[in-house]
Amino acid sequence: MAIGERIHFFRLLRGDDTKNYLGMALGFPEKSADVRLAQYETGSRTPKADLTAALAQVLDVSPHALSVPDIDSYVGLMHTLFTLEDNYGLKITEHDGELALQIDFRKNKDAARLHEMLCSWQQAAAMLEAGEISKEDYDKWRYHYPEFDKAQNHVKVPPQDLF
C-alpha cells in the first residue's frame, strides 16, 4: 500500500471526511488544502520526510505507519516476504493444513530482534482476543508502534500505561 493510500486510510479512520480539514491542519492555505491533500492521497505527489512527520502527527500515528514497503501487488508482497526470508530468517511452514510464517530467531541478531517484536504483537493480539483490551487500544498500539510496546527495550513508554 502506497503512502497516499495510507494517508487516506488514516484520515477516514480518524473520521476526517474532508481533505480540506487535514490540509489546513498541515498549514496549507484553505483554498488549496483539499487539492494538495488529494495529490498526496492519489500518489501524484509524494510527501517529503518533514511533511510525512507532520501528517503522522496530525493523524495521530507513527510516521512508520504511513511509510510501508511496496505491497500494492501480490508480486510486490511476495518479494517483500522473500526479503524478510533473506534478512530475518522468515520461513513458510505448514501445520495441520494451514500455512504459517515463522521467524528462525537463530539465524542472526536481526532475526532474534524481529522475533521479539513479533512476540510483542502476538501478546497484544492475544489481549484483544481475550477481551483484556479494546480494539481501539489494539489499533493505538499498532499504529503508534513501537511507542507503546512495553516489551521492547528500545522504545519509550509513556508514563500512563496504555493497557
Side-chain angles (χ1 to χ4, degrees), residues 15-59:
D16 293 338
D17 292 330
T18 66
K19 296 177 191 82
N20 201 45
Y21 173 79
L22 182 55
M24 288 181 6
L26 292 168
F28 298 133
E30 185 176 358
K31 289 183 178 182
S32 63
D34 58 340
V35 173
R36 287 289 299 274
L37 198 63
Q39 291 172 334
Y40 294 120
E41 286 190 2
T42 62
S44 63
R45 294 181 74 159
T46 302
K48 291 187 166 70
D50 59 336
L51 184 58
T52 299
L55 276 162
Q57 186 173 11
V58 171
L59 293 169

Side-chain angles (χ1 to χ4, degrees), residues 50-138:
D50 59 336
L51 184 58
T52 299
L55 276 162
Q57 186 173 11
V58 171
L59 293 169
D60 192 27
V61 298
S62 167
H64 298 287
L66 293 176
S67 303
V68 294
D70 176 20
I71 56 171
D72 290 341
S73 69
Y74 292 123
V75 172
L77 177 58
M78 288 301 293
H79 282 280
T80 299
L81 293 171
F82 298 152
T83 301
L84 291 171
E85 178 182 29
D86 294 339
N87 294 342
Y88 298 102
L90 181 74
K91 54 186 181 176
I92 189 162
T93 62
E94 185 270 330
H95 182 70
D96 293 334
E98 296 285 330
L99 294 179
L101 298 174
Q102 294 180 318
I103 299 296
D104 180 359
F105 61 90
R106 297 171 298 252
K107 178 177 174 84
N108 58 37
K109 183 176 71 170
D110 292 332
R113 188 76 170 138
L114 179 59
H115 184 265
E116 291 173 7
M117 294 169 141
L118 291 173
C119 286
S120 295
W121 180 17
Q122 189 277 326
Q123 289 170 353
M127 291 173 72
L128 172 65
E129 185 72 23
E132 296 172 20
I133 60 171
S134 68
K135 175 75 163 100
E136 183 178 301
D137 285 340
Y138 177 70

